[in-house]
Amino acid sequence: IKTTKDFTLTVNDTTVIKVKADGSIEITAPAGIKITTPLITVTGDVVARGVSLDDHTHTGVHGETSDAH
């Protein structure tokens, strides 16, 4: 498929995947996403519930705080 416009996949009146002309991808999965693979590689940060994988810190048992990873 070659297009210069957004491409949308809709299932049961719900837009599930939208590949946008700007190169971004939006995924909506109301029932969840299951990925079965031995390895996932991500370039860039991963943010879950507002917590950045790159910028988060941990508090140690003695109250010390680790550097961001």
Side-chain angles (χ1 to χ4, degrees):
I1 299 171
K2 186 175 183 179
T3 183
T4 57
K5 298 181 181 181
D6 294 354
F7 174 80
T8 302
L9 173 64
T10 302
V11 177
N12 295 330
D13 297 323
T14 299
T15 297
V16 188
I17 299 174
K18 182 182 277 189
V19 180
K20 300 178 80 176
D22 67 5
S24 64
I25 300 173
E26 298 174 7
I27 300 172
T28 302
I33 297 174
K34 179 179 180 181
I35 300 171
T36 304
T37 183
L39 176 67
I40 294 177
T41 302
V42 177
T43 302
D45 196 6
V46 175
V47 179
R49 293 187 179 172
V51 177
S52 162
L53 193 58
D54 283 346
D55 297 331
H56 77 282
T57 60
H58 294 267
T59 303
V61 295
H62 302 291
E64 71 278 11
T65 302
S66 69
D67 292 332
H69 303 287

